[in-house]
Amino acid sequence: MEKQERLFLIKEQLLTDAMKKTLQAKELLEKEEVSSVLEAVEQVGLSRSAFYKYRDAIFPFQMIVKEKLVSLFIELDHRSGTLSTLLSIVATYHGNIVTINQSIPLQGKASITVSLDVSKMKQFSEFIEQIKLLDAVNSVKVIGSGM
C-alpha cells in the first residue's frame, strides 16, 4: 500500500538553514540574478546536494497562492511514450509543471504525482478529460489545489 504524501505549512523560523538557503538560491535563479545553480548555491553558502534535496519540496506560501497550483495523482500502465504524451497535453493546455514524481513501475503499472501551475489554463476540466482519454491512463485524481 502506497503511503499518501502529506504537506505541511510551517513558519519560516522553524525551517533548517539548508531549507532557507534553498529558498534564497531559488529566488536568485528565478530573478535571474545568477546564471547557474552552482553560482546560486555558492552565493548563499549551500551545497549543491542540499539544494537538489530540497529544491522540489519547499516553496514560499505566497508563490503557491499567487500561482494556481494543482496536484494530480495519475495511475497508468507502464508503456513507452505515455509520459511524453501526457506532458504534451500539459503543454497544449498551457500548464506549467512545478514538480513531477513517478513511482517505479510494478507489475506493468506506475503512478505519477504532478504539481502544475494552471494559472494560464482556461479549460481545466477539458484538460483533465484529455488525460483520462489516454489509453494507458487508468485514473486521474486532483489531490490538491490552490485554485
Side-chain angles (χ1 to χ4, degrees), residues 89-135:
I89 293 171
V90 171
T92 299
Y93 281 85
H94 307 287
N96 188 22
I97 294 177
V98 178
T99 64
I100 185 166
N101 183 20
Q102 180 177 336
S103 69
I104 296 172
L106 296 172
Q107 299 177 352
K109 305 284 182 196
S111 60
I112 299 174
T113 304
V114 182
S115 295
L116 302 165
D117 172 358
V118 295
S119 59
K120 293 188 172 61
M121 250 187 218
K122 295 193 178 10
Q123 299 156 329
F124 183 75
S125 297
E126 184 179 308
F127 161 71
I128 295 294
E129 290 307 311
Q130 286 299 310
I131 293 173
K132 288 180 178 178
L133 288 174
L134 291 176
D135 221 15

Side-chain angles (χ1 to χ4, degrees), residues 10 15-24 46 54 58:
I10 64 171
L15 295 175
T16 65
D17 285 340
M19 290 175 179
K20 290 177 187 177
K21 289 178 179 182
T22 299
L23 288 168
Q24 291 170 348
L46 181 69
Y54 295 117
I58 188 164

Side-chain angles (χ1 to χ4, degrees), residues 44-102:
V44 299
L46 181 69
S47 70
R48 282 184 349 155
S49 63
F51 175 81
Y52 286 115
K53 177 180 180 180
Y54 295 117
R55 168 186 74 173
D56 295 330
I58 188 164
F59 302 94
F61 180 71
Q62 292 82 357
M63 177 191 151
I64 294 171
V65 172
K66 179 181 82 176
E67 317 220 0
K68 293 181 179 177
L69 292 182
V70 173
S71 293
L72 303 175
F73 180 76
I74 304 167
E75 294 177 329
L76 45 85
D77 297 330
H78 182 60
R79 291 191 208 157
S80 179
T82 301
L83 183 56
S84 176
T85 303
L86 176 72
L87 297 178
S88 292
I89 293 171
V90 171
T92 299
Y93 281 85
H94 307 287
N96 188 22
I97 294 177
V98 178
T99 64
I100 185 166
N101 183 20
Q102 180 177 336

Side-chain angles (χ1 to χ4, degrees), residues 3-16:
K3 187 176 178 181
Q4 186 175 1
E5 181 178 58
R6 295 171 47 191
L7 302 176
F8 300 90
L9 179 64
I10 64 171
K11 292 183 178 183
E12 182 178 9
Q13 63 262 30
L14 297 175
L15 295 175
T16 65

